[in-house]
Amino acid sequence: MSASNETDQQTAEKLKAMELTQRDEKGGTGRFIYWAGVLFALAHIYFNTLGTLSELWVSAIHFSGFALICALMVPLSKKHGNARWTIAVDVVIGLVALGTTAYLILFEDALYARGVHFNATDWVVAVAAILVALEMTRRTTGWFIPSLIVFSLTYVFWWGQYIEGMFNFPGLSLETVLYRSYFSSEGMFGSIARISWTYVFMFILFGAFLVKSGAGDFIIELSRCAAGRMIGGPGFVAVLGSGLMGSVSGSSVANTVSTGVITIPLMQKAGFPARFAAGVEAAASTGGQLMPPVMGAGAFIMASYTQIPYVEIIAIAALPALLYFLSVGFYVRVEARRSHAHAVEMHTRPVKEVLKEGWHCLLPLAVLVGLLIYGFTPTYAAGISIISVVLASWLSPNKMGLRDILDALAQGSKNMATTAMLLVAVGLVVNVVAMTGIGNTFSLMVTDWAGGSLFITLVLVALASLVLGMGLPVTAAYIVLATLSAPALYSLMAERELIELMVNGNLPETARAIFMLVDPNSLTALAAPMSEAQATGLLEQVPADFKGQLLDMAIDAEKLAMILLAAHMIIFWLSQDSNVTPPVCLTAFAAAAIARTPPMMTGFTAWKIAKGLYIVPLLFAYTGFIGGSIEEVLTVFFFGILGLYAFVGFMEGHLEGPLNIVLRLFSGLCALGLLYPHGHLTYDLIAAVAFIALFVYSRRLAPAEAV
């Protein structure tokens, strides 16, 4: 075997190690997983369309079915995955999961007939169900989440009463904790589980059908045509292809592997450094979680938390996602100029030919968006779109037959296994936060630490996301952070809006009544414009118990909803950094395996390239990028593009040509002027003109052969 073949085999083994499935898919266990996945996918389609079972029962079935599939897919022992004893243990665990659900369905009424007093079997079943959830989550995501769940549950019934200060909790009985965790619709089978078996599953299944129909190959081919012949084209193919694939798959690691095996070698061939090529792919694939319509599971959970329609969320999320991908593209452009990357012959076909062959792949996406805009529920729209994938494939030479449909159903269930176990298990943590009120306590603590500063609060949330991201997957990190810190962010952002109304003298009459109760002399001051210091001083006099009522009176409901969405969008974006932040950054590790570069250094490169994850949320917090008027959103978007490009020039010390220290600092000042929320269009225009002039001048600094 040649050295090249050995290296390719090592790369394949590294990528295989990142996949969920560890058992041989061709054996008896693999065939069982396949057909169980098909049947379970069909069952979910029924639950989301014609089914009339209670949501609690469906959530329990969702948990037990995926626990069985997960137990068989990811063995107890990876070393002895196909040994009989390992399979036997995993089968028993799966049957225990099924048994706990059967017990819940059959004996739920008996539990209530006893006045919700546990008998011996209730204790055993509740504990067994939680242990299965912990074990399945350990297998699919590691030890962090199970440890967090145990930490949270024991806080409620045991050690919370022994700590002092604001986190002291008198405690609940273990029986109450188990009831709320398993037998009620608050814990494992609460809102997060409902999101899992409705929106998330249906869209993951939709993505599986799209990939099976050939949409993935079409996207890569179309990206090659669009950007392949440009200087540094393979890098732009990675950005464009990962963005389009991310809108289908919603999984950053899967996105990296599926597109990276093509784009990373091409980038290296074009002259990009190997580590940079891997970093670009990791950063671009991370953006797939931000790209509508799937956005991982984030958009669905966000819709549940904020009660804002899903279609409105993905419409608002589109331009910020585009801004992120442009920021990654700017790094590609700068590195292409610096590395003198050249065009690579990629044997691309004409765009017309690619579109003629694969245009049918766009029809299901058009159907999905059309149904959502028309007003259909996301689950119904996803169901119809799945059917449209099959019908659209019949317009091409590669028609989806029965076997293809079964394969897509099975693959959809396999793709869902990790997410299902994660969401059901994280529901236990969310339930603890609700039971104890610790979310409000944490929000007050964050606000206190930040001293009422929105910027410091954003820094604290970013640091928390960084720490959580080292042990939690993106979705779990978002859920935990949103539960704990979204109220604090929302409150500070809403108060900032309120202070602006007071400064401009536009506070409604009804809201002034609250201030009159605190300080009767304030009415005169509130009737006219005032300084920001005066407005802040008056607001600080309002008791915390009245601030919520004051915000409702002063700011219209639609504006408050957009502020709440902005708070959640900030947390969701910051949570993505776990994909590219060392020491745990699976997306960067997957890209490093393909590029054959050091994983940790690749992670740092990806982290640098993905800096849009930190900059764009600042625009959410301080501008009307979320929920503003069309003019305001487009203005922020346009100047944000230039500002991010200027920021890349400052970070890299290079635009079209190298920048000396003075020009580099000047690029940084331009970025600050374009991104800082000063609210003056004139300043933005001056900064834009200055950066464009710098960009043009930098071309004169480029080596002659690079121009």
Side-chain angles (χ1 to χ4, degrees), residues 373-534:
I373 293 174
Y374 195 74
F376 288 98
T377 64
T379 51
Y380 183 85
I384 297 298
S385 299
I386 289 171
I387 297 173
S388 73
V389 173
V390 179
L391 296 178
S393 73
W394 293 349
L395 300 174
S396 73
N398 302 317
K399 299 178 176 63
M400 288 186 70
L402 178 60
R403 187 68 190 187
D404 295 320
I405 294 172
L406 294 176
D407 288 347
L409 290 170
Q411 192 60 48
S413 292
K414 291 178 185 179
N415 293 346
M416 183 64 191
T418 302
T419 304
M421 290 295 96
L422 171 65
L423 293 179
V424 170
V426 168
L428 291 167
V429 178
V430 174
N431 185 39
V432 167
V433 173
M435 280 193 292
T436 60
I438 200 171
N440 291 332
T441 303
F442 184 84
S443 293
L444 290 173
M445 183 181 70
V446 169
T447 304
D448 184 56
W449 285 354
S453 167
L454 176 57
F455 180 76
I456 296 177
T457 301
L458 290 171
V459 172
L460 291 174
V461 172
L463 290 174
S465 76
L466 195 63
V467 174
L468 285 175
M470 293 179 184
L472 289 177
V474 168
T475 305
Y478 165 62
I479 293 172
V480 173
L481 272 175
T483 304
L484 293 175
S485 58
L489 267 182
Y490 165 75
S491 177
L492 288 173
M493 291 169 66
E495 287 178 15
R496 184 173 174 274
E497 183 72 20
L498 176 62
I499 288 173
E500 187 174 337
L501 290 174
M502 295 168 66
V503 167
N504 295 328
N506 296 328
L507 191 69
E509 288 284 347
T510 53
R512 296 178 192 175
I514 298 290
F515 287 98
M516 186 182 69
L517 295 175
V518 178
D519 181 5
N521 298 323
S522 64
L523 286 181
T524 304
L526 289 169
M530 63 178 67
S531 68
E532 185 173 334
Q534 285 178 298

Side-chain angles (χ1 to χ4, degrees), residues 465-623:
S465 76
L466 195 63
V467 174
L468 285 175
M470 293 179 184
L472 289 177
V474 168
T475 305
Y478 165 62
I479 293 172
V480 173
L481 272 175
T483 304
L484 293 175
S485 58
L489 267 182
Y490 165 75
S491 177
L492 288 173
M493 291 169 66
E495 287 178 15
R496 184 173 174 274
E497 183 72 20
L498 176 62
I499 288 173
E500 187 174 337
L501 290 174
M502 295 168 66
V503 167
N504 295 328
N506 296 328
L507 191 69
E509 288 284 347
T510 53
R512 296 178 192 175
I514 298 290
F515 287 98
M516 186 182 69
L517 295 175
V518 178
D519 181 5
N521 298 323
S522 64
L523 286 181
T524 304
L526 289 169
M530 63 178 67
S531 68
E532 185 173 334
Q534 285 178 298
T536 303
L538 283 174
L539 184 58
E540 287 176 350
Q541 297 179 38
V542 178
D545 295 341
F546 288 93
K547 282 188 177 178
Q549 185 179 357
L550 174 61
L551 293 174
D552 291 337
M553 289 180 174
I555 306 172
D556 64 82
E558 184 177 352
K559 182 65 176 179
L560 285 176
M562 289 298 102
I563 293 174
L564 179 61
L565 178 60
H568 277 270
M569 199 72 79
I570 289 168
I571 295 169
F572 181 64
W573 273 62
L574 292 176
S575 299
Q576 305 301 319
D577 66 353
S578 62
N579 281 320
V580 291
T581 304
V584 180
C585 42
L586 289 181
T587 303
F589 288 173
I594 298 171
R596 301 163 190 166
T597 54
M600 202 61 65
M601 295 307 297
T602 303
F604 281 112
T605 301
W607 188 41
K608 178 187 73 172
I609 296 171
K611 277 297 174 283
L613 291 176
Y614 300 97
I615 296 175
V616 177
L618 292 175
L619 300 180
F620 297 159
Y622 289 102
T623 70

